[in-house]
């Protein structure tokens, strides 16, 4: 990947760019950042810009709560959070632990949870960390780098839109996830949550650095109105800047979606367009896009990132808005090295999601798929 | 049985078109006259011309359909909109994004400052979020009294239960006596998009009412006793009472009517429709006789709404598009001389090189009584090539596949299109191509849509209930109950909430009663 500029502060004008990039990193899940973006813009307008600090600038004794929404994106779009939810969540944490938070961070940069911590930073006056614990979006609470490094979620603070709050002390990440999910259902399907609160030293070790800046960078590329459209498409520009692999161009020819175990699970079949004409891509998703296979051969496998973009505009498409007939490009991106470890693959690899395929790095699959003659052009 | 007719009228920003169709759907006559302000005079002119050219008795017109971009233009141009009070039934929830958040300032200024979040709403599983705070509704009404002309009432999860919205509307009518628009009747899940659509709907009620009254006066003045209908986004019709309640449903009918009209005039059911007007070219896709719908949230006048609109790609090429020579490179538009074409284009004795001039010079197009313009043929050839490239690229972007497709050319500016285009299997210029909008308006069936979140385990019963409601709504819109069919039922599962929650959406369509 080519280098990109780092954010030092976030103003109202940055929000739409970050939100768009976050939707790409959401790999089809994580919820549409639109509502979170409206919320963040309003709070920045009321309280001023948000200061951004890099992962390496954290002090050992910083207290860094990741703030996010937990629950169903489809509830969030019908019932956005109450105005005081974020400040209540931070207050409950402080009251419970007796320590005052100093920096907020995103737990997942993908989707709507990129925006919630920016809003929390704006309303609390705290700086935000340019880094997160996923580098993408994932559906379960323990799918974070803290868990991969062996840290526990600690007390989980949950507050709802009516003024209720719950603090969970669980015996481990997986239990914490199950209890939090049950509380979320009781709280009406969506709530504000803080978990994996750690000291600066731990966050320096675990956070994936630069991911908010990366989201902004992606958003800028897709929104670039000065780019010459006849030269290369937004998708081409994005692939070049990120070192992403353009896996397949196609049209959604068949789409099945169902609920199983609390997830939007499904399969989409894409009929190839252009250079991919005649081929078929099968896309498996569970809130996020998790597995892409071209004619039965895997081309990208979780935890590597799979994003579905509009063929013309490059705008990301979520698993909930994917429609029959949509013309899309599927791109693949290497996951952060945290996910490519044994524990990373155990936590969020294909087997965990019930797919009987081995994990192979997306760049390796791309090399295998490409005839030798094209390799020099790649 | 005596011959009867359908009259389709399209009131656009520049022209008002009228088309007269017989019972078999054949176009008897089509005419074009300038749009007037107020619009009723233009409508009367169009009716007079089409009736006299066809030589029929106005009493034999059985249905009169009006398609209009009037409401769309009102939103885009921020004119003729009513100030609206907004009552969101949701407190203490949802307050992180208050009503009208993210609206452009100029539109917000028109709508006014009366937006309130009061106690109310339901949860995703149908539990009460909060009881309706009737006192808060009343005090909000008193605060907005005299400063709003309509009220939008929007309850969280009102698609599950709309009783709170109905009760709030009763109070508003008691306190203020102004029209009320309920979000549960407007549509889908997604509070902000539904709220935006409900507010726009309320803001357009007066606009549509005055337009409808003009239309009715025009019909009455000419002794036409036909039942009046209004075109809506999906290419189907609604009757007067329904249109007055849901004016916002007209905002996508312009391109829809053009695509449906093109389908009818050409006899094709699958094709691209290229509608070239004076300033822009709109390319839409005809799939099995209906416009392909856009997959993304539709944005109108800077406002995100939840309407399914036809998937249209617009580019700046029309009959009046200015052609400039910049040091050997030809640039098309994006500006246009618009309705001044017949005075400003070279070919009409003006001084501006337009796309129409280029077509006459290079493309072999002709206009009766006009000779091709005298201008630089090198520039002309380059401009002709630029027009071809722009059209070919636009068509390619909208094509469902790489295979060549038939293209139906309609619209007053369509003479600027070359006879042969790459990627096009057949280029069809149907008769009456200039009035495709009015023809499309005249064709409509009537539809009803319904949507519910089903939280029980009995999904089949829920599907049947939603389908029955869609049929009921189609009949309300004027369909003959014996012809109504459910045309689609979609289910969208809802993650996390609970395993049995699904969103079910049904559409029913029938012929006019």
């Amino acid at each position: 990947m080519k280098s990109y500029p780092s954010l030092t502060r976030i103003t109202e004008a940055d929000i739409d760019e970050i939100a768009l990039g976050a939707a790409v990193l959401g790999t089809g899940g994580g919820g549409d950042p639109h509502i979170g973006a409206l919320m963040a813009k309003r709070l920045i307008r009321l309280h001023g810009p948000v200061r951004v600090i890099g992962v390496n600038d954290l002090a050992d004794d910083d207290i860094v709560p990741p703030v996010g929404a937990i629950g169903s994106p489809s509830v969030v779009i019908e019932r956005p959070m109450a105005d005081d939810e974020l400040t209540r969540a931070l207050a409950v944490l402080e009251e419970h632990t007796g320590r005052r938070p100093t920096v907020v961070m995103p737990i997942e940069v993908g989707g709507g949870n990129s925006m919630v911590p920016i809003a929390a930073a704006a309303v609390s006056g705290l700086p935000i960390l340019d880094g997160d614990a996923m580098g993408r979006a994932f559906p379960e609470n323990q799918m974070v780098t803290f868990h991969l490094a062996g840290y526990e979620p600690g007390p989980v603070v949950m507050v709802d839109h009516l003024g209720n709050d719950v603090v969970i002390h669980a015996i481990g990440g997986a239990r914490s996830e199950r209890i939090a999910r049950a509380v979320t259902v009781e709280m009406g399907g969506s709530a504000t949550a803080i978990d994996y609160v750690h000291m600066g030293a731990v966050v320096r070790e675990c956070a994936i650095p630069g991911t908010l800046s990366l989201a902004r960078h992606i958003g800028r590329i897709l929104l670039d109105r000065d780019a010459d459209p006849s030269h290369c498409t937004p998708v081409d520009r994005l692939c070049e800047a990120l070192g992403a692999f353009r896996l397949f161009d196609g049209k959604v020819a068949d789409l099945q979606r169902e609920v199983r175990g609390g997830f939007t699970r499904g399969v989409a079949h894409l009929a190839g367009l252009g250079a991919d004409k005649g081929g078929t891509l099968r896309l498996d998703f569970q809130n996020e896009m998790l597995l892409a296979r071209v004619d039965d051969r895997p081309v990208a496998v979780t935890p590597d990132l799979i994003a579905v973009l509009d063929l013309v505009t490059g705008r990301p498409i979520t698993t909930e808005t994917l429609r029959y007939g949509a013309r899309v490009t599927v791109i693949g991106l290497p996951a952060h090295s945290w996910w490519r470890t044994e524990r990373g693959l155990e936590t969020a690899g294909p087997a965990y999601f019930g797919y009987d395929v081995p994990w192979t790095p997306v760049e390796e699959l791309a090399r295998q798929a490409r005839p030798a003659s094209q390799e020099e052009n790649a | 049985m005596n011959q009867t007719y359908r009259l389709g009228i399209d009131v656009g920003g520049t022209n008002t078109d009228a088309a007269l169709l017989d019972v078999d759907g054949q176009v008897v006559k089509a005419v074009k006259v300038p749009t007037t302000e107020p619009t009723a005079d233009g409508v009367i002119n169009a009716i007079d011309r089409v009736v006299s050219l066809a030589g029929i008795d106005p009493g034999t017109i059985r249905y009169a359909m009006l398609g209009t971009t009037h409401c769309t233009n009102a939103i885009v141009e921020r004119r003729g909109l009513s100030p609206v009070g907004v009552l969101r039934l949701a407190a203490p929830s949802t307050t992180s994004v208050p009503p009208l958040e993210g609206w452009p300032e100029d539109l917000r200024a028109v709508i006014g400052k009366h937006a309130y979040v009061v106690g109310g709403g339901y949860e995703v599983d149908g539990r009460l979020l909060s009881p309706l705070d009737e006192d808060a509704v009343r005090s909000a009404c008193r605060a907005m009294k005299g400063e709003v002309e309509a009220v939008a009432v929007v309850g969280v999860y009102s698609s599950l239960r709309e009783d709170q919205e109905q009760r709030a509307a009763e109070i508003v009518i008691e306190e203020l006596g102004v029209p009320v628009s309920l979000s549960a009747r407007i549509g889908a899940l997604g509070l902000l998009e539904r709220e935006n659509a409900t507010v726009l709907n309320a803001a357009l009620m007066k606009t549509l009412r005055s337009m409808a009254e003009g239309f009715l006066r025009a019909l009455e003045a000419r002794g036409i006793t036909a039942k009046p209908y209004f075109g809506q986004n999906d290419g189907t019709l609604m009757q007067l009472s329904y249109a007055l309640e849901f004016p916002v449903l007209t905002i996508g009918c312009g391109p829809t009517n053009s695509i449906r009209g093109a389908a009818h005039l050409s006899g094709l059911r699958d094709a691209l429709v290229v509608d070239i007007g004076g300033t822009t070219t709109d390319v839409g896709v005809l799939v099995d006789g209906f416009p392909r719908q856009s997959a993304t949230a539709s944005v109108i006048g800077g406002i995100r709404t939840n309407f399914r609109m036809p998937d249209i790609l617009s580019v700046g090429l029309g009959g009046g598009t200015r052609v400039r020579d910049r040091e050997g490179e030809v640039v098309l538009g994006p500006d246009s001389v618009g309705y001044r074409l017949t005075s400003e284009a070279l070919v009409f004795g003006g001084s501006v090189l337009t796309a129409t001039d280029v077509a006459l010079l290079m493309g072999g197009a002709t206009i009766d009584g006009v000779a091709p313009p005298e201008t630089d043929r090198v520039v002309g050839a380059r401009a002709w090539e630029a027009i071809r490239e722009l059209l070919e690229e636009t068509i390619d972007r909208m094509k469902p596949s790489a295979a060549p497709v038939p293209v139906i050319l309609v619209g007053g500016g369509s003479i600027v299109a070359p006879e042969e285009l790459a990627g096009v299997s057949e280029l069809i210029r149907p008769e009456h191509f200039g009035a495709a909008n009015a023809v499309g308006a005249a064709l409509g069936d009537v539809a009803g849509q319904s949507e519910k979140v089903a939280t029980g385990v009995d999904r089949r019963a829920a599907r049947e209930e939603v389908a029955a409601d869609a049929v009921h709504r189609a009949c309300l819109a004027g369909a003959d109950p014996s012809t109504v069919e459910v045309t689609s039922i979609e289910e969208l599962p809802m993650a996390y909430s609970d395993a049995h929650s699904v969103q079910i959406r049904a559409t029913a369509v029938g012929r006019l009663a």
Side-chain angles (χ1 to χ4, degrees):
Chain A
M1 192 183 313
K2 295 179 179 172
S3 65
Y4 48 87
S6 290
L7 283 162
T8 54
R9 64 207 280 271
I10 298 174
T11 66
E12 208 183 329
D14 296 315
I15 293 294
D16 286 338
E17 293 171 350
I18 298 172
L20 184 58
V24 173
L25 294 171
T27 64
D32 181 350
H34 176 67
I35 288 199
L38 287 175
M39 208 167 81
K41 281 193 274 193
R42 173 170 170 266
L43 290 173
I44 290 174
R45 201 159 63 238
L46 293 174
H47 302 281
V50 170
R51 195 155 58 83
V52 181
I53 68 168
V55 170
N56 290 327
D57 300 330
L58 284 171
D60 285 354
D61 58 354
D62 269 325
I63 307 270
V64 191
V67 185
I70 177 172
S72 169
S74 58
V75 170
V76 174
I77 64 163
E78 177 66 21
R79 203 212 67 210
M81 67 175 69
D83 202 18
D84 65 348
E85 256 177 85
L86 297 168
T87 44
R88 264 196 293 126
L90 289 169
V92 170
L93 177 73
E94 185 176 341
E95 191 185 316
H96 191 78
T97 60
R99 305 171 83 163
R100 182 176 291 263
T102 56
V103 179
V104 296
M105 73 174 279
I107 192 78
E108 62 178 333
V109 72
N113 272 342
S114 59
M115 292 290 127
V116 175
I118 297 175
V123 71
S124 65
L126 296 175
I128 192 165
L129 185 72
D130 186 6
D132 75 315
M134 292 192 195
R136 48 166 298 159
F138 270 132
E140 298 183 15
N141 291 8
Q142 79 284 3
M143 294 174 173
V144 288
T145 49
F146 296 112
H147 173 73
L148 304 185
Y151 295 103
E152 294 297 332
V156 179
V157 173
M158 296 179 66
V159 303
D160 75 2
H161 54 302
L162 299 173
N164 300 297
D165 60 70
V166 171
V167 182
I168 301 167
H169 295 269
I171 56 169
R175 286 287 167 179
S176 172
E177 154 70 22
R178 291 180 65 95
I179 297 168
R181 186 172 298 271
V183 172
T184 305
V185 169
E186 194 45 43
M187 286 181 161
S190 172
T192 296
I194 298 177
D195 59 358
Y196 291 98
V197 183
H198 286 289
M199 308 287 287
V202 171
V203 178
R204 272 205 317 271
E205 174 196 344
C206 296
I208 300 177
T211 47
L212 277 180
S213 296
L214 175 62
R216 201 268 302 261
H217 183 56
I218 292 172
R220 284 208 161 161
I221 291 169
L222 293 181
L223 288 168
D224 186 358
R225 289 171 193 92
D226 300 329
D228 179 357
S230 66
H231 262 80
C232 69
T233 66
V235 176
D236 293 330
R237 292 200 299 275
L238 192 65
C239 287
E240 198 199 322
L242 300 183
F245 298 91
R246 190 166 180 156
L247 303 173
F248 197 80
D249 289 358
K251 190 177 102 165
V252 179
D254 185 44
L255 185 61
Q256 295 154 28
R257 260 189 294 239
E258 59 163 359
V259 166
R260 211 193 293 160
F263 295 104
T264 304
R265 269 179 184 251
V267 178
H269 287 92
L270 274 56
L273 294 172
D276 294 308
K277 200 169 167 55
T280 304
L281 180 134
R282 176 189 159 120
L283 198 59
D284 289 83
F285 51 87
Q286 296 180 35
N287 292 10
E288 283 77 31
M289 316 275 179
L290 296 174
L291 173 60
R293 285 175 277 196
V294 172
D295 304 328
D296 292 334
R297 180 176 48 78
V299 292
V301 184
T302 179
D304 285 339
L305 284 72
I306 302 168
V308 176
L309 311 175
D310 181 276
L311 187 59
V312 176
T313 63
R315 297 297 177 103
I317 298 173
T318 66
T319 50
E320 285 180 339
T321 58
L322 197 62
R323 279 185 198 282
Y324 174 83
R327 289 145 299 148
V328 302
T329 294
V330 183
I331 68 168
L333 265 172
H336 190 269
S337 53
W338 270 112
W339 294 111
R340 296 177 150 207
T341 59
E342 196 177 322
R343 190 162 160 97
L345 293 169
E346 224 168 71
T347 305
Y352 183 85
F353 290 102
Y355 301 117
D356 186 19
V357 298
W359 178 78
T360 312
V362 61
E363 60 274 25
E364 175 62 27
L365 292 170
R367 236 189 326 272
Q368 290 168 9
R370 193 167 295 144
S373 62
Q374 284 182 16
E375 201 135 295
E376 297 115 54
N377 304 330
Chain B
M1 185 181 141
N2 288 336
Q3 175 68 283
T4 59
Y5 299 93
R6 285 177 167 221
L7 173 66
I9 307 233
D10 176 74
V11 182
T14 311
N15 288 312
T16 297
D17 296 346
L20 201 61
L21 275 61
D22 66 19
V23 281
D24 302 322
Q26 294 301 305
V27 180
V28 180
K29 274 285 178 277
V31 302
K32 195 179 277 293
V33 302
T35 293
T36 56
E37 191 61 48
T39 54
D41 297 339
V43 172
I44 289 186
N45 294 342
I47 292 175
D48 285 348
R49 280 201 60 187
V50 80
V51 165
S52 78
L53 282 171
I56 63 151
D57 168 10
T60 58
I61 296 173
R62 181 140 185 242
Y63 297 109
M65 289 80 166
L66 186 75
T68 179
T69 52
H70 211 64
C71 289
T72 322
N73 295 343
I75 297 169
V76 173
E77 295 165 20
R78 281 86 162 107
R79 84 184 142 75
L81 297 172
S82 300
V84 172
V86 189
L87 287 174
R88 186 195 287 174
L89 318 180
S93 194
T94 77
T95 43
S96 63
V97 188
L100 310 183
E101 183 66 28
W103 281 44
E105 276 309 314
D106 55 352
L107 192 51
R108 223 178 142 137
V110 175
I111 296 301
K113 59 181 194 308
H114 292 290
Y116 305 88
V117 185
V118 302
Y122 290 95
E123 301 279 10
V124 63
D125 52 9
R127 277 180 298 172
L128 198 61
L129 191 160
S130 182
L132 179 65
D133 185 344
E134 298 198 6
D135 292 341
V137 174
R138 280 188 203 280
S139 67
C141 284
R142 283 167 198 153
M144 59 176 93
K145 191 165 185 122
E147 295 179 22
V148 299
E149 291 177 351
V151 170
V153 176
V154 187
V156 169
Y157 282 111
S158 59
S159 56
L160 291 177
R161 296 186 61 182
E162 61 177 88
D163 58 331
Q164 286 188 348
E165 284 193 1
Q166 283 165 356
R167 177 63 194 135
E170 283 171 18
I171 297 171
V172 171
I173 289 164
E174 257 175 60
E175 294 280 337
L176 301 176
V178 298
V180 181
S181 189
L182 300 187
S183 87
R185 311 278 175 83
I186 295 277
L189 283 176
L191 179 75
L192 301 183
E193 286 84 356
R194 188 172 75 249
E195 181 173 82
N196 290 347
T198 308
V199 172
L200 289 177
N201 193 61
L204 288 166
M205 284 174 155
K206 203 175 68 175
T207 307
L208 191 90
R209 178 170 292 277
S210 84
M211 174 125 203
E213 282 167 358
F215 182 45
L216 297 182
R217 269 202 312 278
L219 294 178
E220 198 184 344
R222 292 303 177 259
I224 297 171
T225 55
K227 217 170 166 181
Y229 284 93
F230 291 81
Q232 52 182 336
N233 302 347
D234 62 358
T236 59
L237 298 167
M238 48 189 168
Q239 58 191 9
L240 180 65
S241 57
Y242 200 81
L244 290 174
E245 198 182 339
F246 300 110
V248 78
L249 297 181
T250 66
I251 57 178
C253 80
T256 300
N257 285 343
S258 137
I259 294 171
R260 298 251 299 150
H264 182 73
L265 292 171
S266 65
L268 295 181
R269 295 184 66 79
D270 293 278
L272 287 196
V273 176
V274 177
D275 185 345
I276 308 182
T279 308
T280 60
T281 294
D282 295 338
V283 180
V285 186
L286 185 63
V287 180
D288 201 20
F290 281 86
R292 181 172 78 197
Q293 301 286 305
S294 165
T296 49
S298 50
V299 175
I300 170 129
I303 308 297
R304 198 155 126 146
T305 69
N306 52 11
F307 292 113
R308 302 285 304 275
M309 303 274 271
D311 187 9
I312 298 289
L313 185 58
S314 289
V315 292
L317 172 68
T321 295
R322 294 180 73 127
V323 178
R324 293 187 180 84
D325 179 23
R326 289 207 180 117
E327 292 159 16
E329 196 189 346
V330 163
V331 179
L332 298 177
D335 53 332
S336 163
V337 297
Y339 68 91
R340 300 184 308 275
L341 179 74
T342 51
S343 58
E344 296 192 3
L346 290 183
V347 67
F348 295 108
S351 59
V352 179
L353 179 63
T354 66
T356 296
D357 295 307
V358 173
L360 293 180
L361 184 69
M362 307 304 302
T366 56
I367 297 177
D368 286 347
V370 178
E374 286 176 24
T375 185
D376 185 344
R377 289 191 71 89
V378 176
V379 172
R382 286 205 184 113
W384 189 235
E385 214 34 54
I387 289 172
R388 173 194 302 282
E389 272 173 24
L390 181 59
L391 282 174
E392 287 177 350
E393 188 196 311
T394 312
I395 287 169
D396 192 57
R397 280 170 62 183
M398 291 300 279
K399 269 161 56 164
S401 76
V405 286
V407 164
I408 311 164
L409 265 178
V410 296
S414 60
I415 64 165
V416 309
E419 277 307 316
E420 282 184 13
L421 291 166
V424 173
S425 61
E426 192 187 358
L427 200 63
I428 299 140
R429 298 175 194 259
E431 202 183 346
H432 307 297
F433 64 87
N437 275 346
V439 173
L443 288 171
D445 290 330
V446 282
Q449 267 184 338
S450 180
E451 187 174 88
K452 282 272 181 298
V453 176
T455 48
V457 279
D458 192 353
R459 228 156 78 183
R460 212 176 73 183
R463 283 171 71 100
E464 279 167 14
E465 186 195 330
V466 176
D469 189 48
V471 169
H472 175 66
R473 284 171 191 237
C475 295
L476 279 183
D480 172 357
S482 69
T483 65
V484 177
E485 278 179 60
V486 176
T487 52
S488 82
I489 300 187
E490 281 182 292
E491 282 189 34
L492 195 63
M494 301 173 67
Y496 296 101
S497 54
D498 72 59
H500 302 302
S501 281
V502 287
Q503 185 183 342
I504 303 174
R505 186 187 298 155
T507 307
V509 175
R511 281 203 295 274
L512 278 171

